[in-house]
Structures are given as C-alpha cells and as structure tokens.
Amino acid sequence: MTTSLDLTGLAARPAQVWGAVRLVPLVRDEPIGDLRLHAELYGDAAGLVEVGPRHAYLSYVPHGFVATWTGDGTPAAAYGTQLCAERDQVPAATMGLRFHRRTARRQAKDRLRFLPLHLSLEGYLALHSGGPTIAWEEWSHRAVSQGLSPRAEEAYAGAEVRGLADALRVFEIHPGQCGVMVYVADALAAAFAVPHPDDYRALHPTLLQDLYGELIHHYATLVLPVPDFRARIADTRIGSLEDLRGAAAEQEEAWARFHDTTMAAGLLGHAYTWRTVHRMGRFTLARLRPPFRPKEENHIGEAITDDSGRIAYLKTFRLSESQVRRGHLLDRLAAHDWHLPDAAAGLGIDTAQLGLRLEAAGFAFLLRQDVLDGYRKRARTGRG
C-alpha cells in the first residue's frame, strides 16, 4: 500500500530551541486510551536480532517498546518502564551480546514487544537483499548466490548528537503532549509520537538512545545555533484580554500551519510504501519507506495506526544522501529485473555509468571484476 503520512489529531505547538536543536511538541486533542506503550531497557550490550530463518543482524539495541491494548476500547493499563534485572547486567570488563527473536514479537494476547526504529532499519537493510533475480552475465557469482548479504549501514546514537542531551533535559513538556519533531540546524532528524501523554513523559528520555543519521550528526557538530521563532502581536489590535487570547491563538495556528507545510514538508508531503508487520486488535503496526528520491529529504519509519488510519505511534529516521542513492539504485535494478542495460536506460545513462554508480555506492562486489574493469576503462577513454 502506498499513501502519505497523515498526522491528523496531532497539532504542533511552539518550538523550543537549544543551540542547533529545535524541538517541536506534538499535542493530541484527545489521547488514545486503549493502546499504551512502555519501554524495556536492555543496557549497552550489543544486540543480535533474528529476523527469520538464517537471517539476523547485529546492532546497538538499547531498549524495546511494549504495546498493550484492549479489544473493547476500554483504557489499557500502563505497565511502566522495566529495568534490567541484576542478573542480566553486563560485566564491565566484557562486551555483552543480547539475543532478540524478531523485531516484533507477541508477548501475550494483548501485548507486543517491538524494537523501535529497528523495524524500519531492518526493512531498509533487507531491501532487495536477495540480489539479482536473473543471473545476467554482468553479475558476480557472489551476487547471484548470496545477494547483498552481509550488508552494513552506519548511524549515531542520540548521545553522540551534539546538544541533543541538553535540549531534551531542559525541554518543557506541554500539557497533552504525545510527541515531538526533532530538528537539527532546522533539518528534520526524527518524528516521534505515542498514544498517551503519560507514555510520552515516560519515553521522552529514550530519544537520546535512538539512532540518527550521518547528516544530523554532521549538522549538530558544525552548524551555529538556530534562531528562535518568536510570535509578535501588534498592540494596536489589543483592547482586551479576549483580544489578546484571540491574537495568541492566531499566532499558534499560523505557527502550526508553517511547521506542517514548510518545516515538515519533506516528511509529510510525500507518499510512502506501507508494509504491515503485525495486527493488534483495532491497531496495525507497519513499517514505511519512501520512493528514494535522490537529492531530496527521505525518511524511513514505523507506525501504529488505528482502524480509522489515525497515527497512534510513529518513529522515523532520516536517511543520508548515500543511503538514499543506494536505495534508489536497488529499486531501479529490481524494477528492471536486475537487467543492467534496461535499468541504465530507465535512468537515462549508459550501462558503464550505472556500473560505476554501483561501485561508488558500495556495490562493486555485485559485478564481475572483468565487467567492472571494462566499465572503468570506458570511463577513462570516454567511450560510451
């Protein structure tokens, strides 16, 4: 299913700024009471996540989320954050390894444990991971027999993003707040939303443990503080407290409109491919991925929606330009059954240029060495 991301029911409130970090609160008019989230903390041990038979990946997995729901619309209980038991703590002198069975796993009839962001990252890592569907002559034996495995991508923990820890620490949580949009140098780093204000208060610190892309880390390190957007009300319009309240409401609405149509346009203004991961009563957990538009803003993510399509939970990750290029190339190859000449024609380039793009994207191992050498020679001599 392909559709846009709709944040109906979540309204942006005035931003708070700390250095290059701008945090925009998302407030619900009416909390979702029959779905609740809490965190399970796993510590600093690396995580080995089994996603299927003979398929797994190794990653930093600091915490998981547990979703609890009811089948009749009555309020669900909030279990609260669960700390690691003492016997699960990792000895200081060793590097621990925690095993996780699947990125989303049912724990009880009305409870599902899933790994935040890992649903979407696993979907990106697994993108066309089987490799060529037809053994065209250009592809290497490894590409045909093993596909893209093993594949690695890099990200930064929130603690490594300069200024984010302080911004989260001093952030004033709004009444009714159920989410936040995180900007670094006014580039959207992540969107995060939960069903209930109590869930947000409990999970607000986990933003520091989340993963952020290369661009965001770069901006946080090199960019100067961003300006604060302050509301200005002409005193000539104000004759009473009622006038002041009305003018303040207008400014708040204008800010929300500017945020949704300008600052968050790269996230909200495009269609995504949604893939259902798990159904939970009237709720659906899904991962979403973009069409990989080069030189544009691209986000992957995961969401829980209710039976009317309203977002109950959302977490997104902004891809770097190199990650977008890799996704775009793989999509184009898959769309043409991994036939290099057809894929190159679809991109408006010749086969040698496509081969060199694959090499630059880190996919040189997919091509036979003699084929790649031929593409390099054609590039040097200027032959088409």
Side-chain angles (χ1 to χ4, degrees):
M1 178 180 68
T2 301
T3 185
S4 60
L5 187 58
D6 184 3
L7 296 186
T8 298
L10 288 163
R13 290 292 182 260
Q16 299 176 41
V17 173
W18 182 273
V21 179
R22 189 187 307 274
L23 302 178
V24 178
L26 298 176
V27 175
R28 289 191 191 276
D29 294 333
E30 183 180 351
I32 299 173
D34 55 339
L35 175 71
R36 300 297 300 274
L37 294 179
H38 77 268
E40 285 186 343
L41 304 184
Y42 300 139
D44 292 329
L48 182 67
V49 185
E50 177 190 347
V51 295
R54 301 174 60 190
H55 292 280
Y57 68 90
L58 184 68
S59 180
Y60 171 60
V61 187
H63 60 274
F65 284 172
V66 177
T68 306
W69 66 93
T70 59
D72 56 4
T74 56
Y79 281 75
T81 298
Q82 304 295 309
L83 299 176
C84 292
E86 195 170 292
R87 58 184 171 83
D88 292 330
Q89 293 297 324
V90 181
T94 65
M95 177 181 176
L97 182 64
R98 178 179 289 271
F99 291 85
H100 302 272
R101 289 186 59 190
R102 309 193 67 83
T103 50
R105 186 184 181 199
R106 185 184 287 269
Q107 291 188 329
K109 181 180 178 181
D110 60 351
R111 198 155 65 244
L112 179 78
R113 189 273 296 148
F114 62 96
L115 304 180
L117 276 185
H118 287 264
L119 282 172
S120 45
L121 289 170
E122 182 233 320
Y124 176 76
L125 286 170
L127 183 68
H128 309 302
S129 60
T133 52
I134 300 176
W136 303 106
E137 62 179 0
E138 295 91 350
W139 302 117
S140 66
H141 174 73
R142 174 183 168 183
V144 175
S145 61
Q146 299 181 33
L148 276 66
S149 181
R151 185 175 170 197
E153 295 289 345
E154 294 183 355
Y156 293 86
E160 299 296 322
V161 178
R162 183 178 179 182
L164 182 59
D166 288 335
L168 293 172
R169 178 176 53 82
V170 303
F171 182 81
E172 180 183 352
I173 296 179
H174 281 238
Q177 183 173 346
C178 292
V180 68
M181 306 283 269
V182 180
Y183 293 86
V184 177
D186 283 338
L188 179 58
F192 177 48
V194 295
H196 196 279
D198 291 344
D199 297 342
Y200 183 80
R201 287 182 177 274
L203 299 176
H204 176 78
T206 65
L207 288 163
L208 197 60
Q209 299 173 316
D210 281 341
L211 300 175
Y212 297 88
E214 174 189 5
L215 178 72
I216 301 306
H217 181 269
H218 179 79
Y219 280 176
T221 304
L222 300 179
V223 175
L224 296 174
V226 295
D228 198 0
F229 295 148
R230 298 185 180 275
R232 288 177 171 80
I233 299 174
D235 56 5
T236 55
R237 297 177 49 200
I238 307 303
S240 65
L241 286 176
E242 185 177 351
D243 292 341
L244 183 59
R245 279 193 293 267
E250 288 178 6
Q251 290 291 323
E252 197 170 74
E253 291 172 4
W255 158 253
R257 188 165 52 251
F258 168 75
H259 172 266
D260 293 350
T261 59
T262 303
M263 295 192 69
L267 174 69
L268 304 178
H270 300 283
Y272 294 84
T273 299
W274 295 65
R275 181 181 175 187
T276 298
V277 176
H278 202 93
R279 297 193 184 277
M280 310 175 294
R282 73 183 189 96
F283 299 98
T284 301
L285 173 63
R287 64 166 62 102
L288 53 147
R289 68 175 180 88
F292 298 111
R293 306 170 304 275
K295 299 182 180 179
E296 293 186 33
E297 188 175 333
N298 289 259
H299 299 261
I300 56 176
E302 65 221 20
I304 297 176
T305 55
D306 65 11
D307 48 8
S308 64
R310 179 176 56 160
I311 293 289
Y313 160 79
L314 175 68
K315 190 175 281 288
T316 66
F317 175 90
R318 181 167 180 161
L319 297 171
S320 69
E321 182 57 32
S322 59
Q323 289 168 330
V324 173
R325 284 197 299 269
R326 285 193 284 274
H328 179 66
L329 285 172
L330 292 175
D331 263 1
R332 293 301 86 211
L333 286 169
H336 293 89
D337 291 325
W338 292 78
H339 187 254
L340 273 174
D342 288 350
L347 291 169
I349 57 178
D350 63 39
T351 307
Q353 289 173 317
L354 177 55
L356 295 179
R357 285 191 185 184
L358 288 171
E359 180 186 25
F363 294 138
F365 66 90
L366 294 176
L367 295 166
R368 281 178 20 215
Q369 188 61 51
D370 61 317
V371 172
L372 182 57
D373 289 342
Y375 292 158
R376 291 168 178 164
K377 182 177 180 180
R378 287 165 63 179
R380 287 195 303 269
T381 59
R383 292 167 52 198

